């Protein structure tokens, strides 16, 4: 699907989605008609029942698109979480308005895996390109949704921080070239 093409599709199974911009989870039922409005950064923006929603790329098959496959080595037998799986997964999450991963944009300030009540909790400290970005809740829900798929992750906690404030200097060299900002 091109970024400009819009079309109506039938949902072929119940699918999880998140309201834009609030990030509130919604389930779109099987056989619903949705207007597929945008495919950008591994997610799909649709309208359904007057609501704008995002469907994660890992669920793209529900709307007849090629799903994003997150592949992992077999889970650690000791129940631990591999940081390499967390980092690779974060690199599949794109800013909703800029087709660059949140890692390459420099939005992720830190990640820790902690144990709490016998559960593996991934804690992410991240920022937004602007404190007033209306897509912040959606981006946070994207991070929570994708990281929950990493083997042995029991919960994800995302903290939005604005100190230090994000600047274009935080963008990786590769992303600067991709965006044409040197």
């Amino acid at each position: 699907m091109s970024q400009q093409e819009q079309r109506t599709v039938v949902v072929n199974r119940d699918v999880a989605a998140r309201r834009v911009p609030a990030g509130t989870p919604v389930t779109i039922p099987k056989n619903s008609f949705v207007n597929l409005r945008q495919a950008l950064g591994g997610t799909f923006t649709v309208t359904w029942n007057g609501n704008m929603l995002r469907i994660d790329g890992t669920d793209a098959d529900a709307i007849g698109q090629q799903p994003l496959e997150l592949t992992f080595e077999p889970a650690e037998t000791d129940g631990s979480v591999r940081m390499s799986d967390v980092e690779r997964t974060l690199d599949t999450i794109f800013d909703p308005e800029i087709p660059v991963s949140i890692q390459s944009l420099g939005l992720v300030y830190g990640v820790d895996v902690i144990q709490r009540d016998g559960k593996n909790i991934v804690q992410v400290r991240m920022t937004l390109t602007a404190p007033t970005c209306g897509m912040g809740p959606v981006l946070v829900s994207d991070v929570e949704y994708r990281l929950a798929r990493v083997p042995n992750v029991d919960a994800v906690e995302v903290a939005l921080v604005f100190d230090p404030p994000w600047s274009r200097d935080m963008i990786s060299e590769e992303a600067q070239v991709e965006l044409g900002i040197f």
Side-chain angles (χ1 to χ4, degrees), residues 36-81:
L36 181 54
R37 303 185 56 89
Q38 177 178 282
L40 182 65
T43 60
F44 298 85
T45 303
V46 301
T47 51
W48 175 67
N49 284 349
N51 294 293
M52 186 171 288
L53 306 168
R54 280 171 53 99
I55 296 174
D56 193 80
T58 57
D59 291 319
D61 62 299
I63 54 172
Q65 301 294 305
Q66 182 68 35
L68 170 69
E69 299 288 334
L70 296 177
T71 57
F72 305 102
E73 297 294 321
E76 296 289 345
T77 56
D78 66 359
S80 65
V81 174

Side-chain angles (χ1 to χ4, degrees), residues 54 89-91 93-96 100-112 122-131 133 135-147 156-166 170:
R54 280 171 53 99
T89 301
L90 284 170
D91 208 39
I93 302 167
F94 288 70
D95 182 281
V100 174
S101 82
I102 61 173
Q103 293 269 79
S104 295
L105 281 174
L107 298 180
V108 177
Y109 286 172
V111 179
D112 296 300
V122 176
Q123 295 180 322
V124 179
R125 289 173 314 287
M126 62 179 288
T127 195
L128 304 172
T129 54
C133 175
M135 294 298 282
V138 170
L139 191 54
V140 167
S141 70
D142 286 351
V143 170
E144 292 168 341
Y145 191 80
R146 289 257 175 104
L147 287 181
V156 179
E157 297 173 350
V158 178
L160 281 179
V161 296
F162 299 101
D163 188 24
W166 180 84
M170 296 174 171

